[in-house]
Amino acid sequence: MKSYNLNQLTRIINGTLIGKGDEIINQIFFDSRMIINPIHGIFFAFHGNQKDGHHYLQDAYQKGIRNFVVEKAPTNFVDANFIEVKNPLNALQIWAKYHRKQFTFPVIGITGSNGKTIVKEWLNQLLWKKFSIVRSPKSYNSQFGAALSILQMEDKNDLGIFEAGISMPNEMQNLEEIIQPTIGVLTKIGEAHLENFENQEEIIFEKLKLFTHVDKLVYNIENEKLHQIILEDEHLSKIDKITYGYTNFATVKINQILSNQTNTQISILHNQEEFTYTIPFIDDASIKNSLICLTTLISLNIDYKLFKEEFNQLLPIEMRLEIKEAINNSILINDTFNSDLNSLKIGLNVLNQQPKEKKSLVLTDILQSNLSDEELYQQTADLVNPYHFDEIVLIGEKISQFKHLFQSYVRSYNSTEEFLEQFKHQNVDNEAILLKGSRPFKLEKISNELETRSNDSVLEINLQYLIENINVYRSLLKPTTKLMCMVKANSYGTGSFEVANMLQNNGVDFLGVAIADEGKELREAGITVPIIVMNPEQSSYSTLIDYQLEPEIYSLRVLKLFIQKLQEKQISTAYPIHLKMETGMNRLGFHEDDFYELIAILKNNSQVEVRSIFTHLATADMPEEADYVNYQLNRFDKSYATISEALDIKPIKHALNSPGIVAYSDRQYDMVRLGIGMYGYSEYTDFMQKYLKPVVRFKTVISQISEIEIGETVSYGRRFTAEKHTKIATLPVGYADGIRRSLGYGKGKVGINGQLATITGTICMDMMMVDVTDIPCKEGDEVTIFGDSPTIADVTKWLETIPYEVLTSVSHRIKRVYYKE
């Protein structure tokens, strides 16, 4: 990043400087947890729906930050410098707009509903040898991400490639002013975010605002509505329109597309010259994205015919970090798509968030860089060295030559195979390991050695979607409302530690578990956030106290027994407890006739402290039962008032669960408890479809495809008889994996290549069969048990149950894999 001093920055963003103006800035921080090497860094205190960056100024200061952009400067920071502005996010954007104007090289701005990141990364794969490219890291395309991306532009660059993403009307104009593209690229216009627009035409108009000042525009001429709008636009109608499509009017005319099982051959006509190239993909989206890339090369006045081999070597884009269980109680972070400096920094931050004292890094040669080896690996070492590693493994002939630059214990190897020859499982023990490298080094071989188990059936948990769903619920809350997230029952079957760690890193106030042993496991794994045990058993009281877990107290008997255990263990400070009120669920909780004795016990006892008082709603997910919800909440208000006034305390008050947050946000009190909503499910269907994303995906593969004739039967009991020539696919999962046997006999379905296949015959313990007669597929193809299609809501409907049961039924023999965008 290009350096600025504080005086310059203050003038640019029209702020007020408090402190020294000669301090140099070349790093931007906005999350105090990500601060590792604060030298020449500045912290922007952004204000979100729930989190205010000003609350974390002290954390940033303690980590070494001495320069801040804030709304109001505090007075108790020694030797710190502050720039006061009205809005720190707007200030960052103003800085980015100013910075962008310093450069005159071509800048490609990419927008669309789908394919933005893939097109950006493929253009980088095609062009990195010819240009010094600066591009958006990962999928940084928001109002905030675009500004950060633009600020990475440096004098050494000669091409910029940036994404712009919108979800609401009137967002694109600001992104255009930040990116200021000279070449526009429009990917597929689909249905994404349509809920915030009246129709697709309104989306098109909003997307086209990115191209208000471009010189050239790349798009698909086959989209007639889009093409007509462009022709009628005052500016776009006059610029160079570089298009692709089947029509003779396209700049790049598609002649023929031929696919086999592994690749696609694409023949085009441009300037009366034929050109044929091959890509190692067969899906329609990849074919269209390759055509966008080729057309973009033409917009850059590049001889695209020289890139035939590069197209053939395009790599799939995996923008997600996989977080997996590894051998010997370790954690594996698999980020083996590429190893450019920006993605390395992101991977290091994710590794740093893992609560394992021992950390290791496996890093390969860095490809796709125009820097000299000396400069490249010095910058790499500068990124790595501020982190503490017990060991660094360098793989590659080039990076091995610079092992002396790395400050931790370093071993180096010329190839992955050379490393694996000496690898021993016993050398890995209770650590977090980051695999960071480029595809040619095949680090998946190391991943296979480190993973605890490997099979074709996995439960994928998208941690990024989890956080986005939480933020949706946070947007319904007041800034002061606390958030408790439920991770009981192994986080509804998704894996308690991994989910709890992500929640802890994203600032939730409490975690909730069902029993003490669940809380104990989280504490032993490094989770420090307060944990409430919702159903503590008498035998677990010692565990509760030893691991600083906070019990739900629901009866006089439980309260007396817990106080007795505190006395036995000679606990001298008041121990936090949470009182549950019975208001109509008729399950657990204090009744009104308990209050006199309850208050007497608490008044005369200093060993416990009431941290919260709460109740549980029986019908928050049933709109027709709103009267009963209000009945419960009114009873709860009276119960809370009676106890808090008698004891002269104001503990946290909470009642709402996931559906309650949606339907009764006016009664959110001091805290809410979020459970199934985190995972993208809500009984309020409109809310779910409009705002939530599916976090969990259960997938497997086709083991075998068989063909049977009329009259032949399938599986135990011969409960399916073919009425025609039928193709049957066998899948390697069954009721021992959590697939309910009642989904058989044509009741349930699975997703294969975008279509739903009916489950056929009786589901077995380890296998199930589906009818794929009308679905193009082959052995080894991926199958979705639930996820995008069918959804968990679909499976819930077929089983006439609730999503909790579907999720928690997935067997532990199904491997859990965690993704972070």
Side-chain angles (χ1 to χ4, degrees), residues 593-653:
D593 54 10
D594 295 323
F595 289 178
Y596 180 81
E597 187 175 354
L598 170 63
I599 291 168
I601 293 173
L602 294 174
K603 268 188 175 181
N604 297 313
N605 193 291
S606 61
Q607 289 193 283
V608 292
E609 170 197 1
V610 180
R611 179 167 286 191
S612 84
I613 300 176
F614 71 102
T615 194
H616 194 76
L617 302 178
T619 60
D621 57 344
M622 303 168 67
E624 68 275 14
E625 290 283 355
D627 287 345
Y628 196 74
V629 171
N630 288 317
Y631 163 74
Q632 280 196 264
L633 292 174
N634 290 337
R635 286 186 65 186
F636 176 54
D637 288 341
K638 293 176 183 177
S639 300
Y640 181 91
T642 298
I643 296 171
S644 61
E645 289 171 9
L647 297 175
D648 193 24
I649 57 174
K650 283 288 184 181
I652 298 168
K653 182 180 182 182

Side-chain angles (χ1 to χ4, degrees), residues 485-754:
C485 290
M486 307 305 297
V487 292
K488 61 182 181 179
N490 197 33
S491 291
Y492 301 94
T494 63
S496 56
F497 161 69
E498 291 81 4
V499 171
N501 188 48
M502 179 60 64
L503 296 173
Q504 176 173 268
N505 288 331
N506 281 271
V508 304
D509 299 285
F510 288 86
L511 298 177
V513 298
I515 59 176
D517 282 346
E518 290 179 335
K520 174 184 174 182
E521 290 178 4
L522 293 179
R523 287 284 187 251
E524 290 178 337
I527 301 301
T528 59
V529 69
I531 298 174
I532 300 177
V533 180
M534 307 303 288
N535 190 20
E537 299 172 337
Q538 181 179 344
S539 60
S540 69
Y541 290 169
S542 288
T543 300
L544 278 166
I545 297 166
D546 292 343
Y547 288 88
Q548 295 181 302
L549 308 173
E550 304 178 15
E552 167 192 312
I553 302 296
Y554 53 83
S555 72
L556 296 170
R557 179 186 67 86
V558 169
L559 177 60
K560 292 172 183 177
L561 287 171
F562 189 69
I563 291 173
Q564 180 181 329
K565 180 58 68 174
L566 290 170
Q567 292 170 344
E568 291 174 5
K569 297 182 78 69
Q570 298 182 339
I571 303 299
S572 57
T573 56
Y575 200 93
I577 62 172
H578 301 262
L579 302 181
K580 183 172 187 180
M581 301 293 108
E582 170 50 54
T583 60
M585 184 78 166
N586 291 314
R587 192 171 62 175
L588 292 175
F590 287 99
H591 296 263
E592 284 87 343
D593 54 10
D594 295 323
F595 289 178
Y596 180 81
E597 187 175 354
L598 170 63
I599 291 168
I601 293 173
L602 294 174
K603 268 188 175 181
N604 297 313
N605 193 291
S606 61
Q607 289 193 283
V608 292
E609 170 197 1
V610 180
R611 179 167 286 191
S612 84
I613 300 176
F614 71 102
T615 194
H616 194 76
L617 302 178
T619 60
D621 57 344
M622 303 168 67
E624 68 275 14
E625 290 283 355
D627 287 345
Y628 196 74
V629 171
N630 288 317
Y631 163 74
Q632 280 196 264
L633 292 174
N634 290 337
R635 286 186 65 186
F636 176 54
D637 288 341
K638 293 176 183 177
S639 300
Y640 181 91
T642 298
I643 296 171
S644 61
E645 289 171 9
L647 297 175
D648 193 24
I649 57 174
K650 283 288 184 181
I652 298 168
K653 182 180 182 182
H654 52 112
L656 300 186
N657 55 6
S658 294
I661 298 169
V662 177
Y664 303 96
S665 61
D666 58 321
R667 306 290 286 272
Q668 61 190 257
Y669 301 127
D670 305 313
M671 183 164 75
V672 296
R673 304 187 301 271
L674 182 59
I676 195 68
M678 291 189 293
Y679 301 97
Y681 181 86
S682 176
E683 291 83 355
Y684 294 94
T685 307
D686 291 345
F687 174 82
M688 175 174 66
Q689 294 176 346
K690 189 172 183 179
Y691 297 112
L692 301 181
K693 295 180 179 179
V695 168
V696 184
R697 184 179 178 218
F698 186 0
K699 71 177 189 179
T700 187
V701 299
I702 297 175
S703 297
Q704 185 178 21
I705 295 177
S706 305
E707 300 192 22
I708 62 175
E709 302 301 331
I710 296 174
E712 292 192 78
T713 60
V714 173
S715 194
Y716 292 115
R718 304 181 67 209
R719 292 181 174 89
F720 172 82
T721 302
E723 297 178 354
K724 61 179 180 178
H725 178 83
T726 304
K727 285 200 306 181
I728 298 294
T730 300
L731 315 180
V733 289
Y735 58 77
D737 301 295
I739 312 294
R740 285 267 292 276
R741 199 166 182 264
S742 58
L743 280 174
Y745 325 123
K747 187 174 184 180
K749 302 178 188 298
V750 299
I752 300 176
N753 293 333

